[in-house]
Amino acid sequence: MMMDTHHSNKQTKGAITKHKIIVEARDLFYRQGFAATSTAQIAKKVGVSEAALYKHFKGKMALLLATVEPERPHDQEVSYFSTLSNLDLLGAWTEQLISTVFHNRPQYTIIFSESPRHPELSENYIRHLHQLTNADKELLTRMDKGQLPKLDLVLFQVGIIGSFLAMLTHKRIYEPTLNLQDIPEDIRHTLISIVEGKLFQQ
Amino acid sequence: MMMDTHHSNKQTKGAITKHKIIVEARDLFYRQGFAATSTAQIAKKVGVSEAALYKHFKGKMALLLATVEPERPHDQEVSYFSTLSNLDLLGAWTEQLISTVFHNRPQYTIIFSESPRHPELSENYIRHLHQLTNADKELLTRMDKGQLPKLDLVLFQVGIIGSFLAMLTHKRIYEPTLNLQDIPEDIRHTLISIVEGKLFQQ
DNA sequence: GTCTATAAATGGATAGAC
DNA sequence: GTCTATCCATTTATAGAC
């Protein structure tokens, strides 16, 4: 009845089904939005009955929460970041951030678009955004030492992610054929330039 | 039956009702999202029956389209912008952009969040974003002359707006008591610094 | 132009058999 | 753990009276 949520390896039949449900629900929430997606549609896509779906999740809301767990970025060693110049550190920080967001687009898109309506989601959101990577820590250290100007890193991060997701959406709308396997070069360039402060520098 | 949609002055009773419907629907779409808002809820808030609502709009979709018409920014004279230094022009451009977005938050929020799902909305979106202000034109002129680096202005604009809306949402979530009558200073500062390229400049 | 009443379909969620 | 069948509230939208 409780399923083996404490296992990360999906071995039992039930766990496999549960995982499938999460994957398909995430895809639908991402593409159609939470409210516009019905549990019937999810069940159909997974190939199970709605009743089965409700054995794995208490409700649609519990399912939403399960779909937004982002994977951690491939974090580098602290020592690596500490060797970088300010500019290179900022570049590496940005690269890591947008790479993480890009490879977890569905999760981030769902969180950013549904958070205002679902406070439960915000908790998840801050839990991840506030979890500092080594690049974050190195940035904060240098801000403390006065080597970099101080700013609200979380707010800035939110801004960068919001900007990134908006540009990706824009491109998808006007180039529907676009295959988004890699981060489009113009978007990457714009973001890196923004962070490194050379957007309108001559 | 067709109402006087060609008049901008809301004089007749029907037109007043129609305007009220748009205002209340916009507010609900903004706060709850399109899919999560029912026509019954809108009608109740306006104080009319659903049937009346459907006399003014063919369907929920037509109503959505009616809610996202942004007002034009208070555009300055070209001569004003042409006197500015590059940095001041960028500052003025950003100020005008975020001011327009801020005072039409519901419209921009709805457009940005619902566009991926509703292609009809995208047309509206590009119609407005592509409509160049005088500040836009001056920027493009200087890019052409090589006085400023060239970049995709629309994509950049989308990025700035996405960033702005995300930061506003972030603040609203973590400071629910916040009275958003003016643009929060930290957000304005972050955006201006981004555009002027002095975010991490020392 | 606005109402009441209602159609017709779909929404989330559960009971109970296997 | 999964199914069929079903409950009941809500959904968009319309018919027809006033």
Side-chain angles (χ1 to χ4, degrees):
Chain A
M1 187 194 201
M2 268 311 273
M3 307 302 318
D4 53 343
T5 47
H6 50 294
H7 283 104
S8 54
N9 18 355
K10 316 284 173 344
Q11 307 226 343
T12 74
K13 247 193 193 110
I16 293 174
T17 301
K18 183 170 185 175
H19 185 245
K20 263 198 202 162
I21 292 172
I22 292 177
V23 169
E24 299 299 341
R26 178 186 293 145
D27 182 57
L28 288 170
F29 292 161
Y30 168 50
R31 286 176 17 230
Q32 309 181 338
F34 177 66
T37 302
S38 69
T39 50
Q41 193 183 8
I42 298 167
K44 190 179 175 185
K45 235 190 135 197
V46 175
V48 295
S49 67
E50 280 189 78
L53 195 150
Y54 276 93
K55 294 287 177 187
H56 292 284
F57 300 94
K58 268 174 297 203
K60 202 187 168 190
M61 198 59 208
L63 183 49
L64 175 63
L65 285 171
T67 62
V68 294
E69 290 295 331
E71 283 132 42
R72 293 258 60 209
H74 310 300
D75 211 355
Q76 310 272 0
E77 286 300 307
V78 197
S79 56
Y80 167 69
F81 290 116
S82 59
T83 64
L84 299 177
S85 70
N86 278 349
L87 210 63
D88 287 343
L89 172 62
L90 288 168
W93 178 83
T94 311
E95 274 293 349
Q96 190 181 50
L97 177 62
I98 68 178
S99 168
T100 301
V101 174
F102 188 73
H103 292 106
N104 296 284
R105 251 175 303 157
Q107 289 95 322
Y108 277 91
T109 303
I110 294 169
I111 291 174
F112 268 63
S113 57
E114 309 290 352
S115 266
R117 263 91 72 172
H118 305 287
E120 310 90 311
L121 263 184
S122 320
E123 289 162 31
N124 194 287
Y125 162 87
I126 204 169
R127 208 166 58 237
H128 282 90
L129 285 184
H130 266 153
Q131 213 173 33
L132 300 177
T133 67
N134 287 328
D136 288 328
K137 287 176 195 156
E138 181 63 28
L139 265 184
L140 289 173
T141 302
R142 294 193 194 186
M143 286 183 193
D144 266 351
K145 287 189 190 156
Q147 297 169 358
L148 279 174
K150 282 197 172 132
L151 53 75
D152 183 336
L153 197 58
V154 173
L155 186 67
F156 184 59
Q157 212 166 290
V158 166
I160 295 290
I161 297 174
S163 174
F164 186 37
L165 295 177
M167 290 193 283
L168 284 174
T169 298
H170 177 78
K171 282 207 95 123
R172 269 210 316 189
I173 290 176
Y174 296 107
E175 301 173 40
T177 62
L178 189 71
N179 194 357
L180 276 185
Q181 293 213 305
D182 297 299
I183 301 175
E185 260 320 304
D186 49 355
I187 293 182
R188 162 182 270 118
H189 175 257
T190 304
L191 285 173
I192 303 253
S193 301
I194 280 177
V195 176
E196 294 184 355
K198 40 183 201 190
L199 195 61
F200 281 111
Q201 234 70 14
Q202 38 237 309
Chain B
M1 185 196 199
M2 268 312 272
M3 309 301 318
D4 51 344
T5 47
H6 50 293
H7 283 102
S8 54
N9 18 356
K10 317 286 173 344
Q11 308 227 341
T12 74
K13 242 187 197 120
I16 293 174
T17 301
K18 184 170 184 174
H19 185 244
K20 264 197 200 165
I21 293 172
I22 292 178
V23 169
E24 299 299 342
R26 177 185 294 143
D27 182 55
L28 288 170
F29 291 162
Y30 167 51
R31 287 177 16 232
Q32 309 181 338
F34 177 65
T37 302
S38 69
T39 50
Q41 193 183 7
I42 298 167
K44 189 179 175 186
K45 236 190 133 196
V46 174
V48 295
S49 66
E50 281 190 77
L53 195 150
Y54 276 94
K55 294 286 176 188
H56 292 283
F57 301 93
K58 267 175 300 205
K60 202 186 168 190
M61 197 61 209
L63 183 49
L64 175 63
L65 285 170
T67 61
V68 294
E69 290 297 329
E71 284 132 43
R72 293 258 58 209
H74 311 300
D75 211 355
Q76 311 270 1
E77 287 300 307
V78 197
S79 54
Y80 167 69
F81 290 117
S82 59
T83 63
L84 299 178
S85 69
N86 279 349
L87 210 62
D88 286 343
L89 172 61
L90 289 168
W93 177 84
T94 311
E95 274 293 350
Q96 191 181 47
L97 177 63
I98 68 177
S99 169
T100 302
V101 174
F102 189 74
H103 292 106
N104 296 283
R105 251 174 303 157
Q107 289 95 322
Y108 277 91
T109 303
I110 294 169
I111 291 174
F112 267 63
S113 57
E114 307 291 350
S115 267
R117 264 89 73 168
H118 305 288
E120 310 92 309
L121 264 184
S122 322
E123 289 161 35
N124 193 287
Y125 163 86
I126 204 167
R127 206 164 62 237
H128 283 89
L129 284 184
H130 265 154
Q131 216 174 29
L132 299 177
T133 67
N134 287 328
D136 288 328
K137 286 175 195 155
E138 181 63 27
L139 264 185
L140 289 173
T141 302
R142 297 194 193 185
M143 286 183 195
D144 266 350
K145 286 188 191 159
Q147 296 169 359
L148 279 175
K150 281 195 173 132
L151 52 75
D152 182 337
L153 197 58
V154 173
L155 186 67
F156 183 59
Q157 212 165 291
V158 166
I160 295 291
I161 298 174
S163 173
F164 186 37
L165 295 177
M167 289 193 284
L168 284 174
T169 298
H170 177 78
K171 281 206 95 119
R172 269 208 319 185
I173 291 177
Y174 295 107
E175 301 173 40
T177 62
L178 190 71
N179 195 357
L180 276 184
Q181 293 212 306
D182 298 299
I183 301 176
E185 260 321 303
D186 49 354
I187 293 183
R188 161 182 272 119
H189 175 258
T190 304
L191 284 173
I192 303 250
S193 301
I194 280 177
V195 176
E196 294 183 356
K198 40 183 200 191
L199 194 61
F200 281 111
Q201 233 71 15
Q202 36 239 309

